[in-house]
Amino acid sequence: MTTKIELLPNDSATDYRTNSLFRLTMRRIVRQRSAIIGGTILLFLVLVAIFAPAIAPFDPNFVLIGHEDIKRRSDPCIHLLGCPEDQPQHILGTDGNVRDVFSRVVFGTRISLMIGFTTVGFAILVGTLLGSLGGFLGGWIDNLIMRIMDVLLAFPSLLLAIAIVAVLGHGLQNALLAIGIVSIPVYARVVRASVLSVKEQEFVSASRALGGSPMHVLFRRILPNAIPPLIVQGTLGIATAILDAAALSFLGLGAQPPTAEWGTMLGTERNQVFTAPHLVFYPGLAIMITVLAFNLLGDGLRDAIDPRLKN
Amino acid sequence: MTQYAIRRILYSIPVIFGILVVTFIMARAIPGDPCKAMLGEKASAEVCERFNREQGLDKPIPVQFGVYMKNIFSGDFGDSIRYSRPVAKILLERLPTTIELGLIALILAIMVGIPAGVIAAVRRNTAVDVGVMIAANTGVSMPVYWLGLLLAYLFALVLKDTPFWLPPSGRISAGLSATPFFEVFQWGIVEGSGIYNFLEFFANMYIFNSIISGNWEVLGDVIKHLILPAVALSTIPLAIIARMTRSSMLEVLRQDYIRTARAKGLFERFVILKHAFRNALLPVITIIGLQVGTLFAGAVLTETIFGFAGVGRMLFEAITARDFPIVQGFTVVIAVGYVAVNLLVDLSYVFIDPRIRLD
Amino acid sequence: MSETSIDNKTEELIRVQNLVKYYPVTGGVFRREIAQVKAVDDVSFSIAKGETLGLVGESGCGKTTVGHTILQLLPATSGSVTFEGTDVLSLKGAELKEMRRKMQIVFQDPYASLDPRLPIGESIAEGIKIHKMGNADERVDRVIENMRRVGLENYHANRYPHEFSGGQRQRIGIARALTLQPKFIVLDEPVSALDVSIQAQVLNILRNLQKELELTYLFVAHNLAVVEHISDRVAVMYLGKIAEMAPRDELFSNPQHPYTQALMSAIPIPKPNRKRERVILSGDVPSPLNPPNGCRFHPRCPIAKDICSHEEPEIKSLVSEPKHKVACHFTEAATQ
Amino acid sequence: MTNNTTQTLLEVRNLKTYFFTDDGVVKAVDGVDFIVNSGEILGLVGESGCGKSVTSFSILQLIDDPGRIVEGEIYFKDRDLLKLSEPEMVGMRGNLISMIFQQPQSSLNPVFTVGAQIAEVFEIHKDIDKKEAWDEAVKLLKLVGIADAEEKAKSYPHEMSGGQAQRVMIAMALALKPELLIADEPTTALDVTIQAQILDLILGLRDKMGTSVILITHDLGLIAETADRVAVMYAGQIIEQSDIESIFENPMHPYTQGLIASVPILGQVREELKVIPGSVPNLVNMPPGCRFAPRCLAKEEYTLEICNRLEPDLDKFRDAHTVRCWLYQDGENHVAPMKARE
C-alpha cells in the first residue's frame, strides 16, 4: 500500500521548474549592490586586458623620442578638452622615458589580473589540499599542518613576502611565488573550518550510514559544500594579492622596469610627484579601482552566501 | 582562566621556534653563493672564505642553527655588512621611530574606525551606512604609498602658503632638535651606559620626549611631520576595523539578549553602548591585534616615502643593499613582536569575555 | 546483564548487549584527557523482527548516542551489537558496507540531513549508487517507487531541499533510508523538529511503511506521547542507563520507576479541567560527566532512601510481569 | 486573587505587522484581534510561522528591520500603545508589560552576571542605587527558587542550566510586578521535567501578583492545563477564540479540530492519527478567500465554493466563542450549511 499525502497548495503539478541552490545564490548575488558594482568593474577590466592592443594607441614600451615632438613627463593632452591640436595627443601624458602613460596603464591591467589569478589560484590549490587533509583526518597530521600555518601567519604577510623576495632575488616571478606562499594559510584555514563544520552535518552522517567510503564522503559531500566560503575568500584574496604585488614592484622587488606594471610605474616616478603628479596618480588609481572591484565583489558574494548576514 | 593563559603562552613557543627556523632557512636559501649575494659578484675567493668563516657558514647546518639560536637568545643578531655595526644596536636606534608612528596610526585607526563601524551598524541601510562602507571599501583598496604621495602632493605643494601646509618628509624640521629629556633635566647619565641606552630609546620617541621635556615648539613640529605618514599608514587598518566593527555589531544586534535588553525598557543608546558593544568588541580586538602586522608592513612603504628613519625604511634599504643580517634580524624581531602583541590580545579576552574563564 | 530473553514467539533481529560509549573530556594546560562523559553506560536490549522499540528520555540521556553507536556512526567504547547473528561493531570495510544495506537511519533535523546542493532524487539515489545496485533505469524506478511510498511525486525528484517544507524533507529522508531495502531503521527523533499537524503525517507514514515492508524500528524520542503512539515496547533512559523497559500498554498503565512516573505526569494533556496529581521533580538533570553515585536518579527521586545513594540498582523483571523490567530498589522486583 | 468584574487589560485590534523582504512583503501578522482580561491567562496557540511570536513582539514594539507594524491599535488600559512616544513606550517595557522568551540562555547577555542583569531592571525604572538594586535582584532569585541566590547572582549565564536561566528571565520579567506578562514559548527549549517546574513557577507567581499572562505555545496540552481562554492562530490571523472548555470540547474551526485530532495523547492510543493535509501557505502569496481553504476537509465535505473567493470574518458565535469560518456564517449567496447561527 502507499500512503497518500496531499501536496503543498503551491505545488501545482504543472510547475516543473526547479531552483538549484546555484541559481538561488545567483539571484541573491544579483541583489547585492556591491557585488554588481564590483562585478561590472571587473568585467570592464577583463575586457580592457583582453583588448589592450586595440585600446592602447602605442606599444607600452615604445619610446617616442624621434617619432614625435614630445618632452619627457609631459602633461596629459586631450584634444577634445582643449589641448592644442598641434600637440601630440597623450591622454595621460608621457613618462620619464617618453612612453605613452595611457598605453602603459592599459597594458598594466593584464599583468595585475594575471598576478591576482595565478597567485590566488596557487594558494587555493595548496591551501585546499592542506586544509581538507587536516580537517578530515584530524589528529597529529592536522596538528602539524596547522602549526606550520601558524608559523607562516606569525609574520605580517607583506613583510614575509618582502623577505622571501629578498632571499630569492628580485623579479616578478619570485614576487608571485612569495605572495602565493604567504596566502596559503588563509585558504588552508578557511577550508579546514568549513570541512569541520560540514563534517558535523547530518547529511554527511547519512552518507556514511548509506555505506559511503571516506573518499566518497570527502569528495562528494564535504568538499563541494566547502567551496562557497572559499570563493568569497579567494575573491578578497585576489584584491590583497594585487595590492601586495604592486607594493613589491613599487619597492623595486617585483616586476622590473620597463615592464608596464602599475606598481613599478609608480615606483620609478615617485620622486616626480611634485613635478609630474600624473605619473603617480593614474597608475595608483588603476590599482585602487582594480582592488576595489575585487573587494566589492567579494563582500557582495559573502553577503549573498552567508545567510546570517541577511535579514 | 590561568589554564587558558598558560596554554595560550605555551602555544606561542612552537610558533616562535618556527619563526626562528624560517628566518634561519631564509639566509641559507639564497640561490647561488650566499657570499657573492651579500658581498657582490666581485668578491674574491679568499674574501669569501673569510666571510664564510666569520658568519659560521662553513660549519654543518645543525651546528649553524645551534649557533643561530644561541646568538639570538643572547641578543646577538650579527653585524650589518653595510654598516659593520651590531644589528641589535641599529634596531634599537630605529625602533622608537616606528613605534611612535605605528602607535599614532593605530590610535587613529581605532578612534575613527570603531565609532564609524558602530554608527554604520546602527544606521544600517541608510545613507550614513552606505557612505561609511564606500569609504571603508575604498580604504582597504588603497595602495598606502600612493595615498602617501598624493597627501604629500596636496599638503606640501598645493596647500603651500596656507595654514594647512604640512611637511612632506622627515621627522623634525631642520634647525630644531629633540634634545633627550634626560639631558634637558641634566640627569648626568653617562653616554653609552645601559641606563643611557634605555632612556635614549624612549627619548627617540619625539612626541613623548617633547612632552616630558616641555618643549612645545618641537612637539608641534613633530606632530606636523607625523600627520601625513600616520594618516597614510592608518588608512587600511582604519577601514578594516570599521568593517569588522560594523559586521560584528550587526551580528550582535540580532542576538536574543538584545531583544531582552529592549524588553526590559532600556533606551536604545544604552542597548547599543552597554549590551551590544561589549559583545561586539571581541572580534574587533582580534582584528586590531592583526593590524599590528599591517602596520609593520605598511611602515616599510610609508617610511620610505616620507623619509622616516625607522625600522621599515632600514629594512627596505637593507634588502636593496643585500644586507642580510639586518633583513634576518629585523624580520625575527618584528615577527616575535607581532606574536607577542597577538598573545596579549588573546589574554585580554579573559577580562572581556567571562565564558573564557570556564575553559 | 539479565536482558537476554524476549518474547519467544517472535524472532529476534537485533540485540544490544552492555553497550558503553564514553566521550573523552580534555582539559588542563596540555589538553590531556581528564575525564569521560558517560553518555551510554551499560545498555542492553533486543528488538524482535517487525517490532518498534521506543527509546525515550530527556536531552543528554544518551538515547541518540545509542542509535548512532549501533550503526557504527560513532565507535562504541565497549559492548556488542548482534544483528541476525553477526557482530556489527567488529565489522570493517566491505563487510561494514554490506551491513549498511540492512540497517539505516532517519535523522532529527530535516534541514541538515539533506545535501543542499543535490536535487532530492540524487539524495535518495545515493545509497543505490554507492552500492552499485541495478542499472540506470532500475535506479530511477527504485527512487520513484520510494518517493511514492512517502507521498512524493515524480517531478519532485529534480527539486532541491530548500524548495520543500520540513515535513516533506523528513519524508525525503525516509525515502532515502528505504532505497537500500533495510530491515532495521533507527529513527532518531524523526518528528521532534516538526509542527504538530505535520508530525501526524510522518508518524502515519512510518507506521504504514512498517506494516508494508515488515520493518523493525528503534524509535528514539523525547516525547512520551509520540513514543506511546508508535511503539510496541518502550525503554526509558536516564543519564546513560535504562531505567525501565516494558511493553507499551504495561509501561503506561503500570509505570514502576519514579522517573517514568514523573515523566508521565509532567506531560501536559490537552484536556482542560482534568486536575491531575502532579509529580514535579526538583533540580536539574545532573551532568553525565559526573553522574551521581548509586542510583543515578536518587538526587531528584521523591522516594529515595539511604541505599539509593550508594548502591546502584540492577535492572530486574517484575514478578508479576517478566517482560517489565525496572532498575529501582523500591519495586516489587527488588523483593524477588 | 480575585477580580470582581472582568476588565479588559489589553485589546488588540486589526493588528498588521509586515516584513518587507527582498522576496516580497511577508504578512506575518495580518489583521489580528484579541483581548486579554485582567488576571487571566490567554493562550495563543498555533504552528510555527503562524505569526504568534510576531504578534507578541508587536505589542512591545520590538519588531526589527525589515518588519513594521503597518496598521492596527493596541489598547493597554485604554491607551493605544502604538500612539505612545518612544520614551513613553520604553517606560512601559519591563515595567507594566514584560516578556520572557523561548531560548532562556541566549536571551541573557553573556558578558554580565545574572544578578546585574536583574538589578538593571530596577536601575532603569526605579530610582534606587546599585547596591539596593543588587539586593533586590538576590531577593528575586530566591523568589524564583534558585538555591544559594547570593552566590548564583554573581554567576554568568553560561554557568547556568536552561531551567535556571529561564528562572532568571522570569525574575527579571516579574521584578516590577507588571500587569501583563508575555511568555513566548517559555518551556519549548526545556526538558519535560524542567518544563513542569517552570510552569509551576510562573503559575505560582502569577497567583501571587495577579499578573495577566499571554502564553504563546504550540503545545495544546500546555494550553489546556494552564490557560483560561485560547486564541488559535493560522497564517497571520486569529481563526478561533474562546474559553478553554469550549475550545477543547467543541472546537469549531476545521483547523482547530484537525489540530486537536492530530496530536498523540498520552494514555490514548489511536491506530491512525488524523492528519491536516498539506502545509501552511506561503505568507508572501496568501491564497484568496479563506487562508485555510486549500487544506480544509470540511470545505470539501460541504462543497463550499465561497471559501476560495471570500475571506470570512472572525464572528461571534456562541457567548464569547468566535470563529473565522464560512461553515457558521452567511455571506453573499452563501447560507451556512451547519445552520449554526441559531
Side-chain angles (χ1 to χ4, degrees):
Chain A
M1 66 165 282
T2 58
T3 314
K4 193 71 199 140
I5 295 286
E6 281 183 38
L7 301 165
L8 277 170
N10 45 3
D11 251 7
S12 61
T14 49
D15 187 10
Y16 285 87
R17 272 186 321 114
T18 69
N19 284 307
S20 72
L21 197 63
F22 177 74
R23 268 175 55 184
L24 200 74
T25 312
M26 283 311 285
R27 220 184 310 150
R28 265 190 275 160
I29 291 170
V30 171
R31 285 206 198 110
Q32 293 293 332
R33 236 176 323 174
S34 59
I36 292 304
I37 298 172
T40 312
I41 301 176
L42 182 57
L43 186 71
F44 170 75
L45 291 172
V46 169
L47 291 177
V48 167
I50 293 173
F51 298 109
I55 298 167
F58 298 95
D59 182 285
N61 293 330
F62 182 68
V63 179
L64 296 160
I65 298 174
H67 298 271
E68 278 177 10
D69 182 22
I70 185 104
K71 300 192 304 277
R72 299 170 75 201
R73 301 195 179 101
S74 63
D75 286 340
C77 167
I78 303 169
H79 290 160
L80 277 175
L81 295 182
C83 181
E85 288 284 343
D86 56 348
Q87 278 183 34
Q89 168 162 297
H90 292 282
I91 300 176
L92 302 182
T94 57
D95 68 3
N97 290 314
V98 204
R99 294 171 297 206
D100 182 52
V101 173
F102 176 68
S103 303
R104 290 178 66 76
V105 169
V106 166
F107 272 89
T109 317
R110 286 186 161 186
I111 296 182
S112 282
L113 292 183
M114 185 273 290
I115 290 171
F117 287 115
T118 50
T119 53
V120 170
F122 165 78
I124 284 184
L125 219 65
V126 181
T128 305
L129 188 74
L130 294 176
S132 52
L133 225 59
F136 190 66
L137 297 176
W140 68 269
I141 296 180
D142 183 32
N143 241 316
L144 181 71
I145 292 174
M146 291 331 283
R147 290 300 79 77
I148 293 174
M149 296 299 113
D150 280 351
V151 171
L152 284 183
L153 284 172
F155 297 89
S157 64
L158 179 59
L159 217 58
L160 184 59
I162 289 176
I164 293 174
V165 178
V167 170
L168 296 181
H170 308 173
L172 185 57
Q173 268 185 3
N174 287 340
L176 292 188
L177 186 63
I179 291 169
I181 291 173
V182 302
S183 345
I184 291 172
V186 175
Y187 302 100
R189 283 192 161 188
V190 167
V191 171
R192 178 173 176 273
S194 38
V195 165
L196 286 180
S197 79
V198 176
K199 207 165 101 174
E200 298 303 315
Q201 302 265 327
E202 284 183 345
F203 69 82
V204 173
S205 296
S207 192
R208 286 175 56 211
L210 290 167
S213 65
M215 284 300 120
H216 171 88
V217 172
L218 176 63
F219 284 105
R220 305 299 289 278
R221 292 292 153 267
I222 296 179
L223 279 187
N225 281 290
I227 285 174
L230 199 59
I231 291 177
V232 171
Q233 198 57 56
T235 313
L236 296 171
I238 291 177
T240 316
I242 293 177
L243 205 55
D244 285 359
L248 285 179
S249 299
F250 173 78
L251 291 174
L253 304 174
Q256 299 297 311
T259 317
E261 201 276 346
W262 296 331
T264 313
M265 290 163 70
L266 247 165
T268 45
E269 303 286 359
R270 69 181 158 102
N271 291 329
Q272 310 305 323
V273 65
F274 290 142
T275 52
H278 64 278
L279 293 181
V280 166
F281 184 72
Y282 293 108
L285 189 66
I287 297 173
M288 196 190 81
I289 290 173
T290 311
V291 174
L292 186 62
F294 283 103
N295 272 328
L296 287 174
L297 184 61
D299 248 19
L301 289 179
R302 179 174 45 210
D303 288 351
I305 285 167
D306 189 348
R308 283 180 317 130
L309 298 173
K310 291 283 297 170
N311 301 317
Chain B
M1 182 168 158
T2 37
Q3 266 185 16
Y4 167 80
I6 294 172
R7 191 166 57 238
R8 197 58 200 75
I9 291 167
L10 289 181
Y11 228 62
S12 44
I13 290 175
V15 172
I16 288 174
F17 181 76
I19 290 172
L20 296 181
V21 172
V22 169
T23 47
F24 172 78
I25 293 173
M26 226 178 244
R28 270 85 192 158
I30 303 166
D33 188 350
C35 164
K36 291 216 164 103
M38 292 185 216
L39 300 183
E41 288 299 326
K42 282 176 230 137
S44 68
E46 296 118 66
V47 173
C48 266
E49 201 181 309
R50 207 181 68 219
F51 174 80
N52 283 347
R53 202 165 346 104
E54 278 172 8
Q55 301 286 321
L57 292 174
D58 53 347
K59 299 199 179 72
I61 294 287
V63 176
Q64 287 185 32
F65 185 63
V67 172
Y68 177 69
M69 293 275 283
K70 201 190 106 218
N71 286 345
I72 280 188
F73 280 108
S74 54
D76 176 8
F77 296 93
D79 287 353
S80 155
I81 295 170
R82 190 155 150 235
Y83 298 101
S84 303
R85 293 176 58 211
V87 172
K89 260 204 128 52
I90 299 174
L91 187 69
L92 281 180
E93 286 166 15
R94 294 293 186 121
L95 212 46
T97 311
T98 304
I99 289 178
E100 187 171 69
L101 175 64
L103 264 181
I104 300 286
L106 190 62
I107 290 169
L108 201 65
I110 294 172
M111 301 288 273
V112 180
I114 289 184
V118 171
I119 292 168
V122 172
R123 301 246 175 280
R124 184 173 191 197
N125 289 339
T126 63
V128 180
D129 181 24
V130 173
V132 168
M133 287 320 286
I134 289 175
N137 264 316
T138 314
V140 287
S141 309
M142 196 89 83
V144 177
Y145 43 93
W146 180 63
L147 177 66
L149 289 170
L150 292 187
L151 287 175
Y153 174 73
L154 179 66
F155 284 94
L157 189 72
V158 178
L159 297 178
K160 203 174 181 173
D161 307 323
T162 73
F164 301 108
W165 176 85
L166 289 170
S169 74
R171 290 184 74 192
I172 192 163
S173 297
L176 286 175
S177 73
T179 319
F181 58 91
F182 51 88
E183 285 179 16
V184 174
F185 298 141
Q186 301 182 332
W187 288 355
I189 291 161
V190 187
E191 195 163 334
S193 65
I195 183 96
Y196 183 94
N197 289 338
F198 179 76
L199 292 177
E200 193 187 30
F201 185 85
F202 292 100
N204 272 337
M205 294 185 208
Y206 286 176
I207 290 186
F208 176 77
N209 187 61
S210 50
I211 291 174
I212 291 274
S213 54
N215 195 338
W216 310 121
E217 193 196 353
V218 170
L219 179 67
D221 186 69
V222 167
I223 289 179
K224 264 192 170 178
H225 278 86
L226 256 174
I227 291 177
L228 293 184
V231 166
L233 188 55
S234 73
T235 311
I236 287 183
L238 193 159
I240 291 177
I241 289 171
R243 287 210 303 192
M244 182 49 102
T245 307
R246 175 179 180 270
S247 70
S248 178
M249 277 298 281
L250 286 179
E251 179 71 34
V252 167
L253 283 174
R254 74 172 70 88
Q255 298 298 315
D256 287 348
Y257 54 79
I258 295 303
R259 198 177 48 203
T260 308
R262 290 189 182 128
K264 270 181 188 176
L266 266 180
F267 277 104
E268 193 60 21
R269 60 175 176 280
F270 293 112
V271 172
I272 285 158
L273 293 179
K274 185 175 172 192
H275 284 260
F277 185 63
R278 188 143 166 219
N279 282 285
L281 209 53
L282 274 175
V284 176
I285 288 180
T286 308
I287 219 81
I288 290 175
L290 295 175
Q291 291 323 301
V292 173
T294 312
L295 288 174
F296 271 123
V300 175
L301 298 160
T302 317
E303 290 178 359
T304 307
I305 291 169
F306 288 100
F308 255 56
V311 169
R313 185 161 150 221
M314 177 54 98
L315 189 59
F316 169 63
E317 286 169 2
I319 287 170
T320 322
R322 316 215 55 129
D323 192 345
F324 280 95
I326 286 193
V327 177
Q328 198 179 28
F330 278 32
T331 311
V332 170
V333 171
I334 291 174
V336 171
Y338 185 44
V339 169
V341 167
N342 284 298
L343 177 64
L344 287 178
V345 164
D346 280 5
L347 294 181
S348 74
Y349 287 177
V350 175
F351 300 101
I352 305 168
D353 189 348
R355 280 165 294 191
I356 281 180
R357 290 178 203 162
L358 195 73
D359 195 40
Chain C
M1 298 244 62
S2 56
E3 170 57 38
T4 44
S5 66
I6 59 162
D7 205 321
N8 297 330
K9 288 169 284 179
T10 51
E11 200 187 330
E12 176 185 294
L13 183 76
I14 185 164
R15 174 184 297 178
V16 174
Q17 272 178 307
N18 310 108
L19 190 68
V20 174
K21 173 67 191 174
Y22 291 168
Y23 292 100
V25 176
T26 56
V29 171
F30 293 103
R31 290 225 172 268
R32 291 259 173 73
E33 183 178 323
I34 50 167
Q36 287 168 323
V37 172
K38 298 179 175 173
V40 176
D41 201 1
D42 196 6
V43 161
S44 302
F45 57 81
S46 53
I47 311 176
K49 212 167 235 170
E51 188 189 32
T52 300
L53 176 69
L55 192 58
V56 69
E58 294 178 281
S59 55
C61 74
K63 55 190 191 300
T64 291
T65 309
V66 169
H68 286 223
T69 315
I70 290 176
L71 293 186
Q72 269 216 51
L73 290 175
L74 288 170
T77 306
S78 68
S80 72
V81 175
T82 319
F83 185 86
E84 292 184 317
T86 315
D87 181 9
V88 178
L89 298 187
S90 64
L91 296 181
K92 283 196 176 67
E95 286 174 328
L96 177 64
K97 188 173 167 186
E98 202 47 40
M99 180 58 76
R100 298 246 192 249
R101 287 172 56 172
K102 299 176 188 160
M103 307 165 78
Q104 275 303 313
I105 180 165
V106 175
F107 293 96
Q108 170 173 14
D109 185 346
Y111 294 85
S113 65
L114 295 171
D115 189 334
R117 290 173 32 267
L118 286 189
I120 61 126
E122 300 256 337
S123 273
I124 296 173
E126 185 178 359
I128 41 180
K129 275 191 185 160
I130 288 172
H131 289 273
K132 302 197 172 62
M133 293 157 84
N135 59 32
D137 285 347
E138 286 162 6
R139 284 180 196 163
V140 169
D141 290 347
R142 177 84 70 88
V143 166
I144 287 174
E145 179 194 350
N146 283 303
M147 282 174 59
R148 297 207 165 246
R149 279 205 171 107
V150 297
L152 296 162
E153 300 291 332
N154 291 5
Y155 66 89
H156 281 136
N158 294 325
R159 296 198 171 175
Y160 289 83
H162 65 87
E163 299 177 86
F164 293 91
S165 67
Q168 288 175 313
R169 282 182 225 198
Q170 200 54 294
R171 305 202 309 250
I172 296 163
I174 294 170
R176 175 177 57 191
L178 290 177
T179 45
L180 291 175
Q181 297 172 323
K183 296 179 175 171
F184 172 67
I185 300 182
V186 173
L187 301 161
D188 182 13
E189 303 240 20
V191 298
S192 64
L194 305 177
D195 271 324
V196 275
S197 72
I198 309 298
Q199 274 188 15
Q201 295 177 359
V202 173
L203 287 174
N204 285 347
I205 287 178
L206 288 172
R207 268 203 151 187
N208 294 334
L209 286 171
Q210 183 171 36
K211 279 188 211 144
E212 183 191 345
L213 303 170
E214 293 169 344
L215 294 168
T216 305
Y217 289 155
L218 176 64
F219 191 96
V220 178
H222 67 271
N223 186 330
L224 217 52
V226 168
V227 168
E228 183 191 20
H229 174 75
I230 198 150
S231 309
D232 300 309
R233 274 191 311 136
V234 177
V236 180
M237 277 189 82
Y238 187 77
L239 273 183
K241 287 192 176 289
I242 291 184
E244 185 164 13
M245 177 158 54
R248 172 185 61 191
D249 295 341
E250 165 70 14
L251 185 87
F252 285 93
S253 60
N254 184 26
Q256 288 293 314
H257 201 287
Y259 176 63
T260 315
Q261 292 167 355
L263 209 55
M264 285 169 70
S265 89
I267 293 185
I269 290 177
K271 285 183 177 170
N273 296 329
R274 229 192 51 151
K275 292 295 165 220
R276 289 186 296 160
E277 201 46 51
R278 287 193 141 214
V279 187
I280 294 184
L281 292 178
S282 59
D284 275 316
V285 184
S287 150
L289 187 61
N290 276 314
N293 287 331
C295 174
R296 294 192 173 183
F297 185 57
H298 85 264
R300 302 176 76 197
C301 182
I303 60 165
K305 298 230 166 56
D306 216 24
I307 181 175
C308 303
S309 58
H310 48 82
E311 198 171 307
E312 193 171 332
E314 255 184 70
I315 187 157
K316 286 179 184 163
S317 294
L318 294 191
V319 183
S320 56
E321 171 55 273
K323 286 188 213 155
H324 191 156
K325 295 176 177 128
V326 190
C328 177
H329 291 298
F330 299 103
T331 58
E332 52 169 310
T335 58
Q336 195 177 357
Chain D
M1 61 136 280
T2 51
N3 272 301
N4 299 337
T5 50
T6 24
Q7 271 185 323
T8 305
L9 179 71
L10 181 86
E11 181 170 4
V12 176
R13 277 190 216 152
N14 193 29
L15 178 69
K16 293 186 179 176
T17 305
Y18 294 172
F19 288 80
F20 300 86
T21 70
D22 292 345
D23 300 302
V25 180
V26 178
K27 298 174 178 174
V29 172
D30 201 13
V32 157
D33 307 81
F34 64 88
I35 56 168
V36 183
N37 295 318
S38 47
E40 80 171 355
I41 300 181
L42 172 77
L44 197 56
V45 70
E47 295 180 276
S48 54
C50 73
K52 52 191 193 301
S53 289
V54 177
T55 303
S56 64
F57 295 149
S58 300
I59 296 172
L60 278 183
Q61 293 170 42
L62 294 176
I63 302 291
D64 280 331
D65 262 0
R68 218 167 63 224
I69 300 173
V70 292
E71 212 183 311
E73 289 122 57
I74 301 172
Y75 286 100
F76 180 77
K77 298 167 101 183
D78 303 324
R79 294 183 75 191
D80 187 352
L81 296 183
L82 296 180
K83 293 209 174 75
L84 295 184
S85 68
E86 178 64 15
E88 282 177 311
M89 190 60 218
V90 169
M92 286 267 179
R93 295 183 192 136
N95 190 6
L96 296 174
I97 308 175
S98 58
M99 192 156 179
I100 53 180
F101 304 97
Q102 180 170 359
Q103 300 289 343
Q105 266 159 325
S106 63
S107 294
L108 290 168
N109 195 322
V111 302
F112 299 115
T113 61
V114 296
Q117 293 188 58
I118 300 172
E120 194 181 21
V121 181
F122 293 102
E123 289 161 29
I124 297 167
H125 296 288
K126 292 268 171 322
D127 192 21
I128 61 175
D129 65 35
K130 273 200 145 63
K131 175 81 185 64
E132 276 177 87
W134 181 270
D135 291 342
E136 288 291 331
V138 172
K139 260 190 231 162
L140 273 167
L141 282 176
K142 281 184 192 146
L143 184 71
V144 296
I146 289 200
D148 201 9
E150 279 88 359
E151 277 308 301
K152 271 287 177 193
K154 291 178 208 147
S155 56
Y156 290 90
H158 70 271
E159 296 164 314
M160 306 195 120
S161 67
Q164 285 175 321
Q166 195 58 295
R167 283 173 196 272
V168 171
M169 286 298 292
I170 292 170
M172 208 185 304
L174 296 181
L176 299 175
K177 302 191 171 54
E179 299 193 35
L180 178 63
L181 171 70
I182 302 169
D184 182 17
E185 306 252 11
T187 60
T188 306
L190 306 173
D191 277 321
V192 266
T193 58
I194 310 299
Q195 163 172 320
Q197 296 172 0
I198 295 296
L199 271 184
D200 202 43
L201 176 68
I202 295 178
L203 294 180
L205 287 174
R206 179 197 91 99
D207 288 346
K208 257 187 227 164
M209 298 180 182
T211 304
S212 306
V213 179
I214 300 177
L215 176 66
I216 295 158
T217 178
H218 64 275
D219 187 339
L220 289 169
L222 210 68
I223 293 277
E225 294 201 344
T226 50
D228 300 312
R229 279 193 319 113
V230 187
V232 183
M233 279 192 83
Y234 183 80
Q237 294 179 327
I238 305 270
I239 50 114
E240 187 163 4
Q241 190 175 179
S242 102
D243 62 283
I244 189 84
E245 286 86 9
S246 186
I247 214 153
F248 279 96
E249 278 153 27
N250 185 21
M252 300 187 65
H253 198 285
Y255 174 69
T256 318
Q257 293 167 351
L259 205 59
I260 291 173
S262 67
V263 189
I265 300 174
L266 197 67
Q268 246 185 44
V269 178
R270 287 173 288 183
E271 192 45 38
E272 184 106 340
L273 294 168
K274 288 274 187 302
V275 160
I276 304 175
S279 49
V280 182
N282 185 337
L283 290 172
V284 179
N285 279 315
M286 214 67 82
C290 173
R291 291 177 185 191
F292 187 62
R295 304 174 72 188
C296 187
L297 297 176
K299 183 199 81 181
E300 303 291 323
E301 195 182 328
Y302 293 99
T303 54
L304 297 184
E305 158 281 338
I306 191 168
C307 303
N308 294 330
R309 278 190 297 113
L310 272 180
E311 203 172 348
D313 296 325
L314 186 62
D315 256 18
K316 185 165 279 188
F317 169 64
R318 192 195 292 137
D319 299 331
H321 199 143
T322 52
V323 61
R324 191 191 282 276
C325 180
W326 283 121
L327 283 176
Y328 312 98
Q329 288 173 21
D330 295 338
E332 41 172 292
N333 302 326
H334 167 75
V335 181
M338 288 177 75
K339 306 280 178 212
R341 282 206 151 258
E342 57 255 19

